[in-house]
Short mmCIF file of all heavy atoms in Angstrom, two decimals:
data_model
loop_
_atom_site.label_atom_id
_atom_site.label_comp_id
_atom_site.label_asym_id
_atom_site.label_seq_id
_atom_site.Cartn_x
_atom_site.Cartn_y
_atom_site.Cartn_z
N GLN A 21 -36.43 -10.64 4.16
CA GLN A 21 -36.16 -10.84 5.59
C GLN A 21 -34.66 -10.81 5.87
O GLN A 21 -34.22 -10.22 6.85
CB GLN A 21 -36.78 -12.16 6.05
CG GLN A 21 -38.29 -12.13 6.12
CD GLN A 21 -38.89 -13.51 6.40
OE1 GLN A 21 -38.27 -14.54 6.19
NE2 GLN A 21 -40.15 -13.50 6.86
N GLU A 22 -33.88 -11.44 5.00
CA GLU A 22 -32.42 -11.43 5.16
C GLU A 22 -31.88 -10.00 5.06
O GLU A 22 -31.02 -9.60 5.85
CB GLU A 22 -31.76 -12.31 4.09
CG GLU A 22 -32.00 -13.79 4.26
CD GLU A 22 -31.54 -14.61 3.05
OE1 GLU A 22 -31.09 -14.02 2.04
OE2 GLU A 22 -31.65 -15.85 3.11
N LEU A 23 -32.38 -9.25 4.08
CA LEU A 23 -31.94 -7.87 3.91
C LEU A 23 -32.33 -6.99 5.08
O LEU A 23 -31.56 -6.12 5.51
CB LEU A 23 -32.50 -7.30 2.60
CG LEU A 23 -31.90 -7.89 1.32
CD1 LEU A 23 -32.67 -7.40 0.10
CD2 LEU A 23 -30.42 -7.57 1.19
N LYS A 24 -33.53 -7.22 5.64
CA LYS A 24 -33.95 -6.47 6.83
C LYS A 24 -33.02 -6.76 8.00
O LYS A 24 -32.62 -5.86 8.74
CB LYS A 24 -35.39 -6.81 7.21
CG LYS A 24 -36.42 -6.12 6.37
CD LYS A 24 -37.83 -6.45 6.89
CE LYS A 24 -38.89 -5.68 6.14
NZ LYS A 24 -40.24 -5.96 6.65
N SER A 25 -32.68 -8.02 8.16
CA SER A 25 -31.78 -8.42 9.24
C SER A 25 -30.40 -7.78 9.03
O SER A 25 -29.79 -7.24 9.97
CB SER A 25 -31.65 -9.94 9.29
OG SER A 25 -30.70 -10.33 10.24
N GLU A 26 -29.90 -7.83 7.81
CA GLU A 26 -28.60 -7.24 7.49
C GLU A 26 -28.64 -5.72 7.71
O GLU A 26 -27.69 -5.13 8.24
CB GLU A 26 -28.25 -7.55 6.04
CG GLU A 26 -26.87 -7.08 5.63
CD GLU A 26 -26.56 -7.44 4.18
OE1 GLU A 26 -27.09 -8.43 3.65
OE2 GLU A 26 -25.76 -6.70 3.57
N ASN A 27 -29.75 -5.12 7.35
CA ASN A 27 -29.92 -3.68 7.54
C ASN A 27 -29.86 -3.32 9.02
O ASN A 27 -29.23 -2.33 9.41
CB ASN A 27 -31.25 -3.23 6.92
CG ASN A 27 -31.33 -1.74 6.73
OD1 ASN A 27 -30.31 -1.07 6.63
ND2 ASN A 27 -32.55 -1.23 6.68
N GLU A 28 -30.50 -4.10 9.86
CA GLU A 28 -30.46 -3.86 11.31
C GLU A 28 -29.03 -3.99 11.84
O GLU A 28 -28.60 -3.20 12.68
CB GLU A 28 -31.40 -4.82 12.04
CG GLU A 28 -32.85 -4.43 11.97
CD GLU A 28 -33.11 -3.05 12.55
OE1 GLU A 28 -32.61 -2.74 13.65
OE2 GLU A 28 -33.80 -2.27 11.88
N GLN A 29 -28.32 -5.00 11.38
CA GLN A 29 -26.93 -5.17 11.80
C GLN A 29 -26.09 -3.96 11.38
O GLN A 29 -25.26 -3.46 12.15
CB GLN A 29 -26.34 -6.46 11.21
CG GLN A 29 -26.92 -7.72 11.78
CD GLN A 29 -26.43 -8.97 11.04
OE1 GLN A 29 -25.75 -8.88 10.03
NE2 GLN A 29 -26.81 -10.13 11.56
N LEU A 30 -26.31 -3.51 10.16
CA LEU A 30 -25.57 -2.34 9.68
C LEU A 30 -25.91 -1.09 10.47
O LEU A 30 -25.03 -0.28 10.79
CB LEU A 30 -25.84 -2.12 8.18
CG LEU A 30 -25.24 -3.18 7.25
CD1 LEU A 30 -25.74 -2.97 5.83
CD2 LEU A 30 -23.72 -3.17 7.29
N ARG A 31 -27.18 -0.93 10.81
CA ARG A 31 -27.58 0.22 11.64
C ARG A 31 -26.90 0.17 13.01
O ARG A 31 -26.45 1.18 13.53
CB ARG A 31 -29.10 0.24 11.82
CG ARG A 31 -29.84 0.76 10.64
CD ARG A 31 -31.32 0.89 10.93
NE ARG A 31 -32.01 1.36 9.73
CZ ARG A 31 -33.20 0.95 9.35
NH1 ARG A 31 -33.87 0.08 10.08
NH2 ARG A 31 -33.75 1.43 8.26
N SER A 32 -26.86 -1.02 13.57
CA SER A 32 -26.21 -1.20 14.87
C SER A 32 -24.73 -0.85 14.79
O SER A 32 -24.20 -0.13 15.64
CB SER A 32 -26.39 -2.63 15.35
OG SER A 32 -25.73 -2.84 16.56
N LYS A 33 -24.07 -1.33 13.75
CA LYS A 33 -22.64 -1.02 13.56
C LYS A 33 -22.44 0.48 13.33
O LYS A 33 -21.50 1.08 13.85
CB LYS A 33 -22.08 -1.80 12.38
CG LYS A 33 -21.89 -3.27 12.66
CD LYS A 33 -21.34 -4.01 11.45
CE LYS A 33 -21.19 -5.50 11.74
NZ LYS A 33 -20.69 -6.25 10.57
N ARG A 34 -23.35 1.08 12.56
CA ARG A 34 -23.27 2.52 12.31
C ARG A 34 -23.38 3.30 13.61
O ARG A 34 -22.62 4.23 13.87
CB ARG A 34 -24.38 2.96 11.36
CG ARG A 34 -24.30 4.46 11.02
CD ARG A 34 -25.63 5.04 10.58
NE ARG A 34 -26.63 4.85 11.62
CZ ARG A 34 -27.92 4.79 11.39
NH1 ARG A 34 -28.39 4.86 10.17
NH2 ARG A 34 -28.78 4.63 12.39
N ASP A 35 -24.33 2.89 14.47
CA ASP A 35 -24.51 3.57 15.75
C ASP A 35 -23.25 3.46 16.61
O ASP A 35 -22.85 4.44 17.25
CB ASP A 35 -25.72 3.00 16.49
CG ASP A 35 -27.04 3.33 15.80
OD1 ASP A 35 -27.06 4.22 14.93
OD2 ASP A 35 -28.05 2.66 16.14
N ILE A 36 -22.65 2.29 16.61
CA ILE A 36 -21.41 2.09 17.38
C ILE A 36 -20.32 2.99 16.83
O ILE A 36 -19.60 3.65 17.58
CB ILE A 36 -20.99 0.61 17.35
CG1 ILE A 36 -21.97 -0.23 18.17
CG2 ILE A 36 -19.56 0.43 17.86
CD1 ILE A 36 -21.82 -1.73 17.99
N LEU A 37 -20.19 3.02 15.50
CA LEU A 37 -19.15 3.85 14.88
C LEU A 37 -19.39 5.34 15.13
O LEU A 37 -18.45 6.09 15.40
CB LEU A 37 -19.08 3.57 13.38
CG LEU A 37 -18.51 2.20 13.00
CD1 LEU A 37 -18.67 1.97 11.50
CD2 LEU A 37 -17.05 2.08 13.40
N GLU A 38 -20.65 5.76 15.08
CA GLU A 38 -20.96 7.17 15.37
C GLU A 38 -20.59 7.52 16.80
O GLU A 38 -20.07 8.60 17.07
CB GLU A 38 -22.43 7.46 15.11
CG GLU A 38 -22.78 7.55 13.64
CD GLU A 38 -24.27 7.76 13.39
OE1 GLU A 38 -25.09 7.57 14.33
OE2 GLU A 38 -24.62 8.10 12.25
N SER A 39 -20.83 6.59 17.70
CA SER A 39 -20.47 6.81 19.10
C SER A 39 -18.95 6.91 19.26
O SER A 39 -18.44 7.78 19.98
CB SER A 39 -21.01 5.65 19.95
OG SER A 39 -20.58 5.76 21.27
N GLN A 40 -18.23 6.05 18.56
CA GLN A 40 -16.77 6.08 18.62
C GLN A 40 -16.23 7.38 18.03
O GLN A 40 -15.28 7.96 18.56
CB GLN A 40 -16.18 4.88 17.89
CG GLN A 40 -16.39 3.57 18.61
CD GLN A 40 -15.91 2.36 17.80
OE1 GLN A 40 -15.70 2.44 16.60
NE2 GLN A 40 -15.77 1.24 18.47
N VAL A 41 -16.83 7.82 16.93
CA VAL A 41 -16.40 9.08 16.32
C VAL A 41 -16.62 10.24 17.29
O VAL A 41 -15.76 11.10 17.45
CB VAL A 41 -17.15 9.32 14.98
CG1 VAL A 41 -16.99 10.76 14.51
CG2 VAL A 41 -16.65 8.37 13.91
N ALA A 42 -17.77 10.26 17.95
CA ALA A 42 -18.06 11.32 18.92
C ALA A 42 -17.05 11.30 20.06
O ALA A 42 -16.57 12.35 20.50
CB ALA A 42 -19.48 11.18 19.45
N GLU A 43 -16.72 10.11 20.53
CA GLU A 43 -15.72 9.96 21.60
C GLU A 43 -14.37 10.48 21.16
O GLU A 43 -13.69 11.22 21.89
CB GLU A 43 -15.58 8.48 21.96
CG GLU A 43 -15.94 8.12 23.37
CD GLU A 43 -15.79 6.63 23.60
OE1 GLU A 43 -14.65 6.16 23.75
OE2 GLU A 43 -16.82 5.94 23.61
N LEU A 44 -13.96 10.07 19.97
CA LEU A 44 -12.66 10.50 19.44
C LEU A 44 -12.63 12.00 19.21
O LEU A 44 -11.62 12.65 19.47
CB LEU A 44 -12.34 9.75 18.14
CG LEU A 44 -12.01 8.27 18.30
CD1 LEU A 44 -11.90 7.60 16.93
CD2 LEU A 44 -10.72 8.08 19.09
N GLN A 45 -13.74 12.57 18.75
CA GLN A 45 -13.80 14.02 18.54
C GLN A 45 -13.66 14.75 19.86
O GLN A 45 -12.96 15.75 19.95
CB GLN A 45 -15.12 14.40 17.85
CG GLN A 45 -15.21 15.88 17.51
CD GLN A 45 -14.19 16.32 16.50
OE1 GLN A 45 -14.00 15.68 15.49
NE2 GLN A 45 -13.49 17.41 16.78
N GLU A 46 -14.31 14.22 20.89
CA GLU A 46 -14.21 14.83 22.22
C GLU A 46 -12.77 14.78 22.74
O GLU A 46 -12.25 15.77 23.25
CB GLU A 46 -15.16 14.11 23.18
CG GLU A 46 -15.24 14.75 24.54
CD GLU A 46 -16.24 14.05 25.46
OE1 GLU A 46 -17.31 13.65 24.97
OE2 GLU A 46 -15.92 13.91 26.65
N LYS A 47 -12.13 13.62 22.57
CA LYS A 47 -10.73 13.49 23.00
C LYS A 47 -9.83 14.42 22.20
O LYS A 47 -8.91 15.03 22.74
CB LYS A 47 -10.26 12.04 22.85
CG LYS A 47 -10.84 11.11 23.88
CD LYS A 47 -10.36 9.69 23.70
CE LYS A 47 -10.98 8.76 24.71
NZ LYS A 47 -10.54 7.36 24.55
#
Side-chain angles (χ1 to χ4, degrees):
Q21 289 172 339
E22 290 170 357
L23 290 172
K24 281 184 175 181
S25 175
E26 185 179 332
N27 196 24
E28 282 301 313
Q29 290 173 354
L30 290 172
R31 282 185 182 142
S32 178
K33 287 179 182 179
R34 182 204 58 206
D35 292 345
I36 291 169
L37 290 172
E38 285 177 346
S39 174
Q40 289 174 343
V41 165
E43 241 179 77
L44 290 172
Q45 184 64 48
E46 186 177 321
K47 287 180 182 179

